[in-house]
Amino acid sequence: MKTIIIGGVAGGASTAARLRRMDEKAEIIIVERGKYISFANCGLPYHIGKIIQERDKLLVVTPETLKSTFNIEARVEQEVIHIDREKKAVTIRELNSGREYTKKYDKLVLSPGASPIVPPVVGVRKEGVFTMRSMPDMDRINDYITEKSPKGAVVVGGGFIGLELAENLQHRGIEVTIIEMLDQVMAPVDYEMAAMVHQHLQFKHVRLALGDGLKTIGGNGRLTATLQSGRTVDTDMVILSVGVHPESSLAKDAGLELGTRGAIRVNNHMQTSDPDIYAIGDAAEVTNFVCGKETNLPLAGPASKQARIAADHICGRDASFIGVQATSIVKVFDLTVGSTGLNSKQLEEFGFPYRSAIIHASNHAGYYPGSEPITLKMIFDKANGRIIGAQAIGKQGVEKRIDVISMAIQKSATVFDLEEAELCYAPQFGSAKDPVNMAGMIAANVI
Ligand code: FAD
C-alpha cells in the first residue's frame, strides 16, 4: 500500500506515524511545501517573546529522524500542484529547481492546513506587515524586531493567535494595539467573559480598539493604520491575524466536494467524496456534535485525532471521528481563558432555549495560600439540564475545569451529573465542592 500525504505538519506527520504503527510494510511519502515538517506551530509566538529561547526546540521531528526512526519519506520544499483522480497520481513540483514529476498513490491524505486571511485593504503588502503561520513567518518577524527595534506594533484581530502575539510582542518591549472588528476579543466566549480579558489587557498596557476594522495601512518606514472609524494608529509593524481559510484549492480543482467556509467535505472516516482520498485538519469540514452543524475548526487537537482515524481507516479499521465540540484555551498574560461547546451568542442565533449560570469560585481552598478566583459560565438545556457549553477565566486551574466539563459534554452529561461528579480534592488543588460541582449545583437550582 502506498500512501501519499500532502502537508507534513500537525495532521500530516501524525497520519504518517500512525500508518507506520499500523503497517510495517506500507510505503509512506509526505510531501511538504515548506522547509520543515512537524514543527510546533503553537509554539511560534513564544519564540518571538523569547519564552521559548531555542528555535530548534520548535522542530519536533526532521525528515532525517522520520526516515531513520520510522522509514517514512518526507519530501520537503516540494508542492503537490495537481491531483489526477483517474490515474490516482499527484503532480509534484520541486520548489528549488522547478522540476515537476508525477507519483502514483493507492491512498492520498490531504492535510494542507489553512492559510492566514489577508484582508483586502490598501497597504497589506508593505514592509513591516506580517502574517503568522510558519517557521519562516516567525523568522521574518523576529529578524524585523532585531533589525528595526520597533517601538509599537498593531495586531489586527483579537483571536487566540492575535492575543498570543500581543503578549509576546509586549515581552519584547513593544507597545501593542489590538484592533478588533467585533465588540470583544476571543469570539468563542461570551461578552461578559471577554470583558474580563479586555480589562486585563488594559491593565497590561495593551491598547484595544474594539468594534473597529482596519481600513488602510499607509506610510513608509513608520506605518499608519487607519481604522474604519477614521481613527489612526502610528506604528512600526502590523501583524494581520484575522483568521484562516482552509487550503482547499487543490481539492476543489480535483473535483472534490467542498462544504462550510470552503473546507473539504468528509465523512466520519475522514474520506472525501473520493473514497481513496482523505482530508483532515484545518482544511477539513467537521461536524460540531453539540449542535449537529457542519463547521471548520482549525485546532491542533482535532487535527491529530482525525489523523489517527484516517490512518486506521486506510489500514482497514472501522475508525470514525465523533466530531468536534470546540474545546480551546489560551493564555492572555496572567489569565487563562478556556471554553468548550457552544456559547450564548451561537445559541441565540439558533434560537435554542438555553439557560446559563455564572459562578465565581476559588481554584482551591481559600484558606490555603495562593488561591485565585475562577469565573465559570455554564450553559445548559433548560428542559433537561444537558450541558451545552462552558467558559472559564482565571489565573489558575481553568484548564482542569474546562477539560472535565468538555468530557461531560462529550458523554451528553447533565448539570445534575456535575452536582455529583467526584473530583479529586485536597486544599492545594480544589475544594470539597469543586467549581465544577458548584456550577452544576447553581445550574440545577436555576432549573
Ligand atoms: P498544518 O499543521 O498547518 O500543516 C499543513 C502543511 O501543509 C503546511 O506546512 C503547508 O506548507 C503544507 N501544504 C499545504 N499545501 C500543500 C501542497 N499543495 N503541497 C505540499 N504541502 C502543502 N491550535 C491549537 O489547538 N492550540 C494552539 O495553541 C495553537 N496555536 C497556534 C499558533 C499559531 C501561531 C498557529 C499558526 C496555529 C496554532 N494552532 C493552535 C492551530 C494548529 O497549529 C493547527 O490547527 C494545526 O497545525 C492544523 O494541522 P494541519 O495538519 O491541518 O495543518
Side-chain angles (χ1 to χ4, degrees):
M1 169 90 76
K2 184 198 286 182
T3 304
I4 295 181
I5 302 167
I6 303 178
V9 190
S14 302
T15 308
R18 180 67 181 169
L19 280 171
R20 173 57 71 230
R21 179 168 293 281
M22 297 296 291
D23 182 352
E24 286 220 330
K25 303 218 161 46
E27 188 181 347
I28 307 163
I29 299 171
I30 293 175
V31 185
E32 167 55 52
R33 185 167 58 198
K35 198 169 170 182
Y36 306 100
I37 54 157
S38 198
F39 62 88
N41 331 44
C42 310
L44 300 179
Y46 298 96
H47 183 55
I48 290 178
K50 300 291 173 220
I51 309 277
I52 299 172
Q53 300 260 349
E54 290 169 51
R55 183 181 181 279
D56 281 358
K57 290 251 191 261
L58 299 169
L59 300 171
V60 184
V61 179
T62 63
E64 294 72 30
T65 52
L66 205 60
K67 182 73 189 163
S68 61
T69 321
F70 296 115
N71 192 23
I72 292 168
E73 192 187 337
R75 302 185 178 190
V76 294
E77 298 182 290
Q78 302 197 20
E79 181 174 14
V80 174
I81 53 169
H82 179 67
I83 301 168
D84 186 333
R85 288 169 51 196
E86 289 280 300
K87 295 196 177 120
K88 293 183 77 173
V90 290
T91 307
I92 302 171
R93 181 182 292 149
E94 292 176 350
L95 296 180
N96 291 329
S97 66
R99 183 179 85 93
E100 290 178 10
Y101 64 97
T102 58
K103 190 98 192 140
K104 287 186 135 282
Y105 62 81
D106 298 310
K107 301 287 177 189
L108 181 65
V109 179
L110 310 180
S111 190
S115 49
I117 295 171
V118 176
V121 304
V122 172
V124 286
R125 305 278 165 216
K126 279 180 180 290
E127 195 197 348
V129 182
F130 303 92
T131 53
M132 175 65 149
R133 175 184 184 182
S134 61
M135 294 287 290
D137 292 340
M138 177 193 75
D139 292 339
R140 273 190 286 276
I141 295 172
N142 259 335
D143 291 348
Y144 189 84
I145 294 174
T146 307
E147 278 165 32
K148 312 265 178 176
S149 305
K151 295 201 172 26
V154 163
V155 173
V156 186
F160 75 90
I161 296 178
L163 292 176
E164 289 179 349
L165 284 167
E167 176 179 344
N168 282 287
L169 291 168
Q170 193 98 321
H171 279 167
R172 297 286 295 269
I174 301 169
E175 280 187 8
V176 180
T177 304
I178 298 176
I179 298 172
E180 168 57 61
M181 195 128 75
L182 300 175
D183 61 355
Q184 66 165 86
V185 299
M186 279 305 287
V189 301
D190 291 316
Y191 183 85
E192 65 269 29
M193 302 297 278
M196 297 172 64
V197 184
H198 301 162
Q199 192 181 33
H200 189 64
L201 286 168
Q202 278 157 352
F203 176 69
K204 292 289 179 183
H205 307 292
V206 172
R207 295 194 189 95
L208 274 179
L210 298 174
D212 211 349
L214 177 70
K215 194 170 173 201
T216 59
I217 303 171
N220 283 311
R222 189 120 171 102
L223 301 168
T224 302
T226 303
L227 313 193
Q228 275 155 9
S229 62
R231 178 180 165 184
T232 58
V233 183
D234 290 332
T235 186
D236 301 298
M237 61 190 291
V238 175
I239 303 189
L240 304 170
S241 187
V242 296
V244 293
H245 189 268
E247 282 220 26
S248 54
S249 54
L250 202 57
K252 187 179 176 202
D253 293 345
L256 298 175
E257 214 177 299
L258 303 187
T260 317
R261 298 181 59 229
I264 307 166
R265 181 150 286 166
V266 290
N267 63 17
N268 57 0
H269 307 302
M270 307 313 296
Q271 284 166 301
T272 66
S273 47
D274 178 333
D276 290 322
I277 304 180
Y278 293 71
I280 59 171
D282 290 2
E285 185 189 56
V286 284
T287 305
N288 183 322
F289 66 76
V290 187
C291 60
K293 292 199 187 301
E294 308 311 320
T295 183
N296 171 240
L297 185 72
L299 287 176
S304 26
K305 273 148 224 148
Q306 292 158 17
R308 187 179 170 97
I309 305 275
D312 281 3
H313 197 258
I314 287 170
C315 294
R317 283 198 176 182
D318 186 25
S320 289
F321 186 58
I322 59 162
V324 298
Q325 65 190 80
T327 305
S328 71
I329 193 147
V330 65
K331 174 180 175 296
V332 186
F333 291 90
D334 304 337
L335 289 183
T336 310
V337 185
S339 63
T340 184
L342 303 178
N343 59 40
S344 303
K345 290 172 291 186
Q346 290 166 308
L347 292 166
E348 299 284 347
E349 228 172 79
F350 302 155
F352 187 87
Y354 72 95
R355 281 284 180 275
S356 65
I358 294 183
I359 63 152
H360 304 279
S362 293
N363 71 312
H364 64 60
Y367 60 81
Y368 191 88
S371 82
E372 293 285 354
I374 291 181
T375 300
L376 176 56
K377 177 170 181 176
M378 175 75 66
I379 299 172
F380 49 96
D381 188 330
K382 126 180 181 195
N384 55 16
R386 183 176 66 100
I387 309 158
I388 301 172
Q391 303 161 25
I393 296 186
K395 289 188 177 168
Q396 281 176 38
V398 164
E399 65 288 354
K400 164 172 151 178
R401 275 68 195 204
I402 289 298
D403 280 344
V404 168
I405 298 171
S406 158
M407 203 58 218
I409 292 177
Q410 188 176 324
K411 293 294 163 201
S412 306
T414 65
V415 297
F416 310 111
D417 294 318
L418 293 189
E419 283 185 285
E420 295 185 20
E422 189 175 314
L423 303 173
C424 53
Y425 163 62
Q428 303 88 333
F429 306 107
S431 299
K433 270 188 250 163
D434 190 87
V436 168
N437 300 128
M438 291 293 286
M441 290 170 188
I442 304 293
N445 290 351
V446 168
I447 291 178

